[in-house]
Each structure stands twice: as C-alpha cells, then as structure tokens.
C-alpha cells in the first residue's frame, strides 16, 4: 500500500469527484483511477460507488477513511518533525562540559538556547576536559565544551578565551591600588583549587616562571570554595573571569591587575567527533548560540596603567609573611 494510493483515496472522498481530486493532486484522471484500483485490490474491497451526485463511499470506504486520514496526518507530522530537526527547532542534544563551564557559562547559554529552541531537550554531563573528550569519542555526548585539546579523532570549534584574574576581597590593600607587581604576591597566601584542573597548572606555571614563591598556599577542590575563602580574607586567588564576573560586578570581590605579567588566557572550544560531519540540526543551532555569546564571554582587561613603584599598604595591613587575616 503506497502513500500515493492513500492520498488519492482521501482526496476523492473529500471532493466526491475523481476529476477534482486529480486536479488537486496534480495528476491525470487515469493515473488517479489506477491508484484507487490498486488500493482496492490490496484491501480486497470496493471503496467507492459512482452515483449521479459523484463518488460515494461504500461501507468499506467509510470504515477505512478515518484510518487513512490519520495515516496521512501522522506522516505529515513526521515530515514536520524531520524538518524541525534539520533546522534545530526540535530534538535532543547531549552536552559534556568541564566543571567551570558547566557552572558559570553553560546555564546562561542554555537559557538563551531554550528561549529560541523550546522544543529541544538538553542533557548535560560534567567532567574534566580529558573525561569529556572520552565521552565525545565514545559518542555518549554530541558535543564537548573543554579547554583546547589535541586528538586526531576530534575537530575543535573555538568558542571564547577565558582570562585568569587575580581577585582579592575589597578590603585588601591590593584592591586600593588596583594593580601590583607579581613579586608582591610572595607575601600573600595563594588559594588554589582542584589540583587536576588546568587552571591549577596555569597558576603554578605563572609563579614558577617569575620565580615567585607565595608565603602560603591553601588548596581547595572547587572554585566556589576558593571564592568564599578570598571573600573572608584568607588569601588571594587567580580564577577564571567567567567564574567571578558576578562577584566583581556586585563588589563582593575585587580584581587586581598584575602589571609585569601578560594576561593568562585559556582557549575554550567545542569538540565533536571528526567523523560526525558538518554540524546540523540541534548541534548547529547550539553552536550558533555559543557564537552569539562569544563577545560577552571573551573578557578583555583594561589597558595597563603605570606600575606602582612599591606596594602600598592600607588599613594597617602588614605586607610581611604572616598568618591569614580573618574578619
């Protein structure tokens, strides 16, 4: 039983005329009649009788009509669903994201995506960049959001650059100057987070290269804990700008420029299997959303001002090594 036969049957039933049905379907009358005859042969029953008022359904035709209509409607819905999938307007997309991205970047992007694609369902899995790479390679997620990685079986799509910023609590003397030399951090306790994260290595490498050894180090397992420690005056930290943008805006944390060090940046990319082909449908729509948010995610530091000649203390804070200040 062919779709063309069912469409011919429904159209004749609606118009009660073979000629008008053939015109509506853009086929000849003989072709339409042949379709009806093949359908009747397949069903083993006559579907129409000719009357002076046109084509009239038989009892078998009356019984078959609602099923034929539902079949055409279902196929029409299926066609619309396929079209929506191709446009990214419906479907499902699975995302893998590194912790800092899933916490501070992905929620805002997914909110924007959901507003323009309300019929697309999204699932998210988190892990370090190497773990997300494995999920992509095993096809357990459609797309991974990670730091720049190299693997022969993936393609990377640049999303934005995240900058590490030095943050302190607003009462800290560094906040008063707004800028320091890297060597001044030697008198501070530095708060690090997640030893397995690339951010940990970037921070450590910055100090090693400059020959700076902080007076103390506090290691925590996540960015939120590090931010809370800084807010309470237990030290300073280098954190991704995307993770502290809200606190910097509200004034609960302050950013301090390091005058004699180049900005520490990390490229964030979307990765897919190389054999997945060109992004289409929901994946393409998601990448378009990410591209639209690139400008606001790639934060640029203000131009460098003249470096201070020496650290300025304010509020009676000592700049010699000592225990962490508590409020």
């Amino acid at each position: 039983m062919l779709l063309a036969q069912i469409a011919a049957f429904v159209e004749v039933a609606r118009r009660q005329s073979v000629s008008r049905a053939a015109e509506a379907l853009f086929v000849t009358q003989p072709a339409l009649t042949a379709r009806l005859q093949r359908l009747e042969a397949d069903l083993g029953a006559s579907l129409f009788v000719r009357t002076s008022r046109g084509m009239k359904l038989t009892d078998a035709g009356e019984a078959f009509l609602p099923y034929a209509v539902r079949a055409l409607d279902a196929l029409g819905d299926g066609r619309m669903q396929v079209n929506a999938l191709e446009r990214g307007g419906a479907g499902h997309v699975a995302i893998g994201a590194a912790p800092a991205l899933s916490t501070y970047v992905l929620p805002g992007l997914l909110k924007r995506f959901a507003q323009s694609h309300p019929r697309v369902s999204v699932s998210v899995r988190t892990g370090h960049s190497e773990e997300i790479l494995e999920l992509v390679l095993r096809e357990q997620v459609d797309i991974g959001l990670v730091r720049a990685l190299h693997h022969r079986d993936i393609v990377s799509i640049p999303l934005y650059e995240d900058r590490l910023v030095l943050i302190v609590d607003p009462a800290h003397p560094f906040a008063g100057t707004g800028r320091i030399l890297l060597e001044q951090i030697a008198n501070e306790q530095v708060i690090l987070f997640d030893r397995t994260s690339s951010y940990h290595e970037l921070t450590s490498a910055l100090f090693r290269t400059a020959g700076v050894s902080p007076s103390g180090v506090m290691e925590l397992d996540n960015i939120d804990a590090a931010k809370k420690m800084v807010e309470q005056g237990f030290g300073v930290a280098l954190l991704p700008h995307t993770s502290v943008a809200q606190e910097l805006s509200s004034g609960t944390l302050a950013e301090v420029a390091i005058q004699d060090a180049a900005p520490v940046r990390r490229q964030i990319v979307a990765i897919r299997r190389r054999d997945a082909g060109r992004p289409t449908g929901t994946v393409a729509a998601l990448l378009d959303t990410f591209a639209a948010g690139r400008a606001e995610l790639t934060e640029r530091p203000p131009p460098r001002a003249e470096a201070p000649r020496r650290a300025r203390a304010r509020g009676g804070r000592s700049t010699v090594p000592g225990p962490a200040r508590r409020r």
Side-chain angles (χ1 to χ4, degrees):
M1 191 180 301
L2 301 177
L3 174 61
Q5 297 169 7
I6 297 176
F9 165 70
V10 171
E11 199 64 35
V12 172
R14 285 173 177 168
R15 299 179 183 275
Q16 297 182 330
S17 168
V18 172
S19 60
R20 288 197 296 269
E23 184 179 349
L25 294 173
F26 302 100
V27 298
T28 64
Q29 289 189 46
L32 186 68
T33 299
R35 292 178 185 180
L36 289 176
Q37 291 173 343
R38 285 194 294 270
L39 179 60
E40 289 176 328
D42 187 46
L43 291 173
S46 296
L47 300 175
F48 293 100
V49 293
R50 289 185 181 273
T51 70
S52 58
R53 302 178 61 181
M55 302 291 286
K56 183 178 183 301
L57 287 168
T58 64
D59 290 343
E62 291 281 3
F64 184 63
L65 181 60
Y67 295 97
V69 170
R70 285 202 296 270
L72 291 179
D73 289 344
L75 289 169
D77 291 343
R79 187 190 301 269
M80 292 175 59
Q81 182 71 5
V82 170
N83 290 338
L85 285 170
E86 289 300 304
R87 297 192 308 269
H92 175 79
V93 61
I95 304 170
L101 295 168
S102 64
T103 303
Y104 305 108
V105 176
L106 198 54
L109 290 174
L110 288 184
K111 180 180 180 180
R112 181 181 301 176
F113 180 71
Q115 290 171 344
S116 56
H117 298 80
R119 296 175 58 198
V120 177
S121 63
V122 178
S123 60
V124 179
R125 297 182 64 175
T126 62
H128 290 298
S129 293
E130 291 77 10
E131 295 170 327
I132 300 303
L133 171 63
E134 287 301 314
L135 292 178
V136 170
L137 293 174
R138 294 199 300 266
E139 299 182 277
Q140 295 182 1
V141 296
D142 301 304
I143 191 169
L145 307 179
V146 297
R147 62 180 171 84
L149 296 171
H150 298 284
H151 192 285
R152 65 182 182 182
D153 293 329
I154 65 168
V155 291
S156 298
I157 303 166
L159 296 180
Y160 68 95
E161 285 187 335
D162 205 2
R163 183 172 67 93
L164 285 181
V165 296
L166 179 65
I167 62 164
V168 300
D169 76 279
H172 194 288
F174 285 180
T177 65
R179 57 191 189 274
I180 63 166
L181 297 173
L182 188 58
E183 64 184 16
Q184 292 175 249
I185 297 179
N187 295 323
E188 302 293 327
Q189 175 163 260
V190 172
I191 298 173
L192 301 176
F193 69 95
D194 194 353
R195 180 176 287 274
T196 60
S197 167
S198 62
Y199 289 119
H200 189 289
E201 175 56 30
L202 286 172
T203 301
S204 300
L206 176 65
F207 295 145
R208 286 197 307 269
T209 301
V212 173
S213 179
S215 62
V217 173
M218 179 185 293
E219 294 199 1
L220 303 169
D221 62 358
N222 64 79
I223 293 177
D224 280 341
K227 289 194 293 186
K228 293 298 182 183
M229 289 297 180
V230 174
E231 287 178 1
Q232 296 302 314
F234 282 99
V236 303
L238 281 160
L239 298 178
H241 182 269
T242 50
S243 71
V244 293
Q246 184 174 348
E247 288 82 1
L248 294 177
S249 178
S250 65
T252 56
L253 290 173
E255 177 184 352
V256 179
I258 303 176
Q259 291 299 117
D260 55 345
V264 180
R265 296 187 176 277
R266 194 178 76 155
Q267 180 72 51
I268 304 300
V269 300
I271 60 173
R272 301 180 68 235
R273 282 182 60 99
R274 187 174 296 278
D275 58 9
R278 181 178 61 86
T280 60
T282 54
V283 172
L286 187 65
L287 290 173
D288 287 344
T289 300
F290 292 166
R294 179 179 293 120
E296 59 193 68
L297 289 172
T298 301
E299 186 273 340
R300 299 291 177 183
R304 290 190 183 184
E306 182 182 353
R309 295 185 178 180
R310 66 179 186 278
R312 291 165 51 194
R314 191 172 71 173
R317 179 184 171 92
S318 172
T319 57
V320 298
R325 177 174 57 85
R326 301 177 185 270
R327 290 178 177 171

